[in-house]
Amino acid sequence: TQTVSQSDAHVTVFEGDSVELRCNYSYGGSIYLSWYIQHHGRGLQFLLKYYSGNPVVQGVNGFEAEFSKSDSSFHLRKASVHWSDSAVYFCAVSAYNNAGAKLTFGGGTRLTVRP
Amino acid sequence: DPKIIQKPKYLVAVTGSEKILICEQYLGHNAMYWYRQSAKKPLEFMFSYSYQKLMDNQTASSRFQPQSSKKNHLDLQITALKPDDSATYFCASSQHWGDEQYFGPGTRLTVL
């Protein structure tokens, strides 16, 4: 069974600040991890994913995430946020093999960027 | 242009009725999925299909039946609707089963 925990339900920062959104997971096998963004009333947009190689992965719009096996984490970061980054961010885990393709999502973190 | 189309965007139904949620993707993907998002629970996986074949079903109730008439279609039929079925239902697709998934805009279902 795979589980995903996003410890912060809400994060508020000012435009131009850096931000880190936390994600921790538990799963016994090989996995791939991803982040999605959901603007109000919209579907989810894929940001980035990791399954092997360089633990720091780059995504769209200046987002990056870092995988840590020792911490079972996959935190999302952005160096300088824009007001348009205000949205709900979801971390997701999936089994990296043919046994399963379902995404298991965390509860989401609502990011509010103040001007 | 939207690449994953879900129809309708909003749907209101009465308890006990039946509805079909439509999903079409024009990304040339071979795998399609359904997820549900409600106020009470985080995003939940429901079904996955690959080349029109059911790969995984995590929905406990048989009232939810996916229907794939074409490779790029995966509709969701829900029978005997209950108020607890009220949620936004998202369709997603991926190039191959297990690849990153791309989501449609969702159908928001309200059951009265």
Coordinates of all heavy atoms in Angstrom, one line a residue, chain A residues 65-109:
Chain A
A65 N 11.8 19.7 -7.9 CA 11.6 18.9 -6.7 C 12.8 18.0 -6.5 O 13.5 17.6 -7.4 CB 10.3 18.0 -6.9
E66 N 13.0 17.6 -5.2 CA 14.1 16.8 -4.9 C 13.7 15.6 -4.2 O 12.9 15.6 -3.1 CB 15.1 17.6 -4.0 CG 16.4 16.8 -3.6 CD 17.5 17.6 -3.0 OE1 17.2 18.8 -2.8 OE2 18.6 17.1 -2.8
F67 N 14.1 14.4 -4.7 CA 13.8 13.1 -4.1 C 14.8 12.8 -3.1 O 16.1 13.0 -3.3 CB 13.8 12.1 -5.2 CG 13.8 10.7 -4.7 CD1 12.6 10.1 -4.2 CD2 14.9 9.8 -4.8 CE1 12.6 8.8 -3.7 CE2 14.8 8.5 -4.4 CZ 13.7 8.0 -3.8
S68 N 14.4 12.3 -1.9 CA 15.3 11.7 -0.9 C 14.8 10.4 -0.5 O 13.7 10.3 0.2 CB 15.4 12.7 0.3 OG 16.1 12.1 1.3
K69 N 15.5 9.4 -0.8 CA 15.1 8.0 -0.4 C 15.2 7.9 1.1 O 14.3 7.2 1.8 CB 16.0 7.0 -1.1 CG 15.5 5.5 -0.9 CD 16.3 4.6 -1.7 CE 15.7 3.1 -1.5 NZ 16.5 2.2 -2.3
S70 N 16.2 8.4 1.7 CA 16.5 8.3 3.2 C 15.3 8.9 4.0 O 15.0 8.5 5.0 CB 17.8 8.9 3.6 OG 17.9 10.2 3.2
D71 N 14.8 10.1 3.5 CA 13.8 10.8 4.2 C 12.4 10.4 3.6 O 11.4 10.9 4.1 CB 13.9 12.3 4.0 CG 15.1 12.8 4.7 OD1 15.6 12.1 5.6 OD2 15.6 13.9 4.4
S72 N 12.3 9.6 2.6 CA 11.1 9.3 1.9 C 10.3 10.5 1.6 O 9.1 10.7 1.9 CB 10.2 8.4 2.8 OG 10.8 7.1 3.0
S73 N 11.0 11.4 0.9 CA 10.4 12.7 0.6 C 10.6 13.1 -0.8 O 11.5 12.6 -1.5 CB 11.0 13.8 1.5 OG 12.4 14.0 1.2
F74 N 9.8 14.0 -1.2 CA 9.8 14.6 -2.6 C 9.2 16.0 -2.5 O 8.1 16.3 -3.0 CB 9.0 13.7 -3.6 CG 9.2 14.0 -5.0 CD1 10.4 14.0 -5.6 CD2 8.1 14.3 -5.8 CE1 10.6 14.3 -7.0 CE2 8.2 14.6 -7.2 CZ 9.5 14.6 -7.7
H75 N 10.0 16.9 -2.0 CA 9.6 18.3 -1.8 C 9.7 19.1 -3.0 O 10.6 19.0 -3.8 CB 10.4 18.9 -0.6 CG 10.3 18.2 0.7 ND1 9.2 17.5 1.1 CD2 11.3 18.0 1.6 CE1 9.5 16.9 2.3 NE2 10.7 17.2 2.6
L76 N 8.7 19.9 -3.2 CA 8.6 20.8 -4.3 C 9.1 22.2 -3.9 O 8.8 22.7 -2.9 CB 7.2 20.9 -4.8 CG 6.9 21.8 -6.1 CD1 7.5 21.1 -7.3 CD2 5.4 22.0 -6.2
R77 N 9.9 22.8 -4.8 CA 10.5 24.2 -4.5 C 10.3 25.1 -5.7 O 10.3 24.7 -6.9 CB 11.9 24.0 -4.1 CG 12.3 23.2 -3.0 CD 13.7 23.3 -2.6 NE 14.6 22.8 -3.6 CZ 15.4 21.7 -3.5 NH1 15.4 21.0 -2.3 NH2 16.2 21.4 -4.4
K78 N 10.3 26.4 -5.3 CA 10.4 27.4 -6.4 C 11.1 28.6 -5.7 O 10.8 29.0 -4.6 CB 9.0 27.8 -6.9 CG 9.1 28.8 -8.1 CD 7.8 29.0 -8.8 CE 8.0 29.9 -10.0 NZ 6.8 30.2 -10.8
A79 N 12.1 29.1 -6.5 CA 13.0 30.2 -5.9 C 12.3 31.5 -5.8 O 12.5 32.3 -4.8 CB 14.2 30.3 -6.8
S80 N 11.3 31.8 -6.7 CA 10.7 33.1 -6.7 C 9.3 33.0 -7.2 O 9.1 32.8 -8.4 CB 11.5 34.1 -7.5 OG 10.8 35.4 -7.5
V81 N 8.3 33.0 -6.3 CA 6.9 32.7 -6.7 C 6.2 34.0 -7.3 O 6.6 35.1 -7.0 CB 6.1 32.2 -5.6 CG1 6.6 30.8 -5.2 CG2 6.0 33.1 -4.4
H82 N 5.3 33.7 -8.2 CA 4.5 34.7 -8.8 C 3.0 34.6 -8.3 O 2.6 33.5 -7.9 CB 4.6 34.6 -10.3 CG 3.9 35.6 -11.1 ND1 2.6 35.5 -11.6 CD2 4.4 36.8 -11.5 CE1 2.3 36.6 -12.3 NE2 3.3 37.4 -12.2
W83 N 2.2 35.6 -8.4 CA 0.9 35.5 -7.9 C 0.1 34.4 -8.6 O -0.8 33.8 -8.0 CB 0.1 36.8 -8.0 CG -0.1 37.3 -9.5 CD1 0.7 38.1 -10.2 CD2 -1.1 36.9 -10.4 NE1 0.3 38.3 -11.5 CE2 -0.9 37.5 -11.6 CE3 -2.2 36.1 -10.2 CZ2 -1.7 37.3 -12.7 CZ3 -3.1 35.9 -11.3 CH2 -2.8 36.5 -12.5
S84 N 0.5 34.1 -9.8 CA -0.2 33.1 -10.6 C 0.1 31.7 -10.1 O -0.5 30.7 -10.6 CB 0.1 33.2 -12.1 OG 1.5 33.1 -12.3
D85 N 1.0 31.6 -9.2 CA 1.4 30.3 -8.7 C 0.4 29.9 -7.6 O 0.4 28.7 -7.1 CB 2.8 30.3 -8.1 CG 3.8 30.4 -9.2 OD1 3.6 29.8 -10.3 OD2 4.9 31.0 -8.9
S86 N -0.5 30.8 -7.2 CA -1.5 30.5 -6.2 C -2.4 29.4 -6.7 O -3.1 29.5 -7.8 CB -2.4 31.7 -5.9 OG -1.6 32.7 -5.3
A87 N -2.5 28.3 -6.0 CA -3.2 27.1 -6.5 C -3.1 26.0 -5.4 O -2.4 26.2 -4.4 CB -2.6 26.6 -7.8
V88 N -3.7 24.9 -5.7 CA -3.5 23.7 -4.8 C -2.5 22.8 -5.5 O -2.6 22.5 -6.7 CB -4.8 23.0 -4.5 CG1 -4.6 21.8 -3.6 CG2 -5.8 23.9 -3.9
Y89 N -1.5 22.3 -4.7 CA -0.5 21.4 -5.2 C -0.6 20.0 -4.6 O -0.8 19.9 -3.4 CB 0.9 22.0 -4.9 CG 1.2 23.3 -5.7 CD1 0.6 24.5 -5.3 CD2 2.0 23.3 -6.8 CE1 0.8 25.7 -6.0 CE2 2.2 24.4 -7.5 CZ 1.6 25.6 -7.1 OH 1.9 26.8 -7.8
F90 N -0.6 19.1 -5.5 CA -0.8 17.7 -5.1 C 0.5 16.9 -5.4 O 1.0 16.9 -6.6 CB -1.9 17.0 -5.8 CG -3.3 17.6 -5.4 CD1 -3.9 18.5 -6.2 CD2 -3.9 17.1 -4.3 CE1 -5.1 19.0 -5.8 CE2 -5.2 17.6 -3.9 CZ -5.8 18.5 -4.7
C91 N 0.9 16.2 -4.4 CA 2.0 15.2 -4.6 C 1.4 13.8 -4.9 O 0.3 13.5 -4.3 CB 2.9 15.2 -3.4 SG 4.3 14.0 -3.4
A92 N 2.0 13.0 -5.7 CA 1.4 11.7 -6.0 C 2.5 10.7 -6.2 O 3.6 11.0 -6.6 CB 0.6 11.8 -7.3
V93 N 2.2 9.5 -5.9 CA 3.1 8.3 -6.0 C 2.4 7.2 -6.8 O 1.2 7.1 -6.7 CB 3.5 7.8 -4.6 CG1 2.3 7.3 -3.8 CG2 4.6 6.7 -4.7
S94 N 3.2 6.5 -7.6 CA 2.7 5.4 -8.4 C 3.7 4.3 -8.4 O 4.9 4.6 -8.4 CB 2.4 5.9 -9.8 OG 1.9 4.8 -10.6
A95 N 3.3 3.1 -8.4 CA 4.2 2.0 -8.4 C 4.9 2.0 -9.8 O 4.2 2.1 -10.8 CB 3.4 0.7 -8.2
Y96 N 6.2 1.9 -9.8 CA 7.0 1.9 -11.0 C 7.2 0.5 -11.5 O 8.3 0.0 -11.5 CB 8.3 2.7 -10.8 CG 9.1 2.8 -12.1 CD1 8.6 3.5 -13.2 CD2 10.4 2.3 -12.1 CE1 9.4 3.6 -14.3 CE2 11.2 2.4 -13.3 CZ 10.6 3.1 -14.4 OH 11.4 3.2 -15.5
N97 N 6.2 -0.1 -12.0 CA 6.2 -1.4 -12.6 C 4.9 -1.7 -13.3 O 4.0 -0.9 -13.1 CB 6.6 -2.5 -11.6 CG 5.7 -2.5 -10.5 OD1 4.5 -2.4 -10.6 ND2 6.3 -2.6 -9.3
N98 N 4.8 -2.8 -13.9 CA 3.5 -3.1 -14.6 C 2.4 -3.5 -13.6 O 1.3 -3.9 -14.1 CB 3.7 -4.1 -15.7 CG 4.4 -3.5 -16.9 OD1 4.3 -2.3 -17.1 ND2 5.2 -4.3 -17.6
A99 N 2.7 -3.5 -12.4 CA 1.7 -4.0 -11.4 C 0.7 -2.9 -11.1 O -0.4 -3.2 -10.6 CB 2.4 -4.4 -10.1
G100 N 1.0 -1.7 -11.4 CA 0.0 -0.7 -11.1 C 0.3 0.7 -11.7 O 1.4 1.0 -11.9
A101 N -0.7 1.4 -12.2 CA -0.5 2.7 -12.7 C -1.3 3.7 -12.0 O -1.3 4.9 -12.4 CB -0.9 2.7 -14.2
K102 N -2.0 3.3 -10.9 CA -2.8 4.3 -10.3 C -2.0 5.3 -9.5 O -0.9 5.0 -8.9 CB -3.8 3.6 -9.3 CG -3.1 3.1 -8.0 CD -4.2 2.7 -7.0 CE -3.5 2.4 -5.7 NZ -4.6 2.1 -4.7
L103 N -2.4 6.6 -9.5 CA -1.8 7.6 -8.8 C -2.4 7.7 -7.4 O -3.7 7.8 -7.3 CB -1.9 8.9 -9.5 CG -1.1 9.1 -10.7 CD1 -1.4 10.4 -11.4 CD2 0.4 9.1 -10.4
T104 N -1.6 7.7 -6.3 CA -2.1 7.9 -5.0 C -1.7 9.3 -4.6 O -0.5 9.6 -4.6 CB -1.6 6.9 -4.0 OG1 -2.0 5.6 -4.4 CG2 -2.1 7.2 -2.6
F105 N -2.7 10.1 -4.3 CA -2.4 11.5 -4.1 C -2.4 11.9 -2.6 O -3.1 11.2 -1.8 CB -3.5 12.4 -4.7 CG -3.5 12.5 -6.2 CD1 -4.1 11.6 -7.0 CD2 -2.7 13.5 -6.8 CE1 -4.1 11.6 -8.4 CE2 -2.7 13.6 -8.2 CZ -3.3 12.6 -9.0
G106 N -1.6 12.9 -2.3 CA -1.7 13.5 -0.9 C -2.9 14.4 -0.8 O -3.6 14.6 -1.8
G107 N -3.1 14.9 0.3 CA -4.3 15.8 0.6 C -4.2 17.1 -0.1 O -5.2 17.8 -0.1
G108 N -3.0 17.5 -0.6 CA -2.9 18.8 -1.2 C -2.4 19.9 -0.3 O -2.7 19.9 0.9
T109 N -1.7 20.8 -0.9 CA -1.3 22.0 -0.1 C -1.8 23.2 -0.9 O -1.5 23.4 -2.1 CB 0.2 22.1 0.0 OG1 0.7 21.0 0.8 CG2 0.6 23.4 0.7

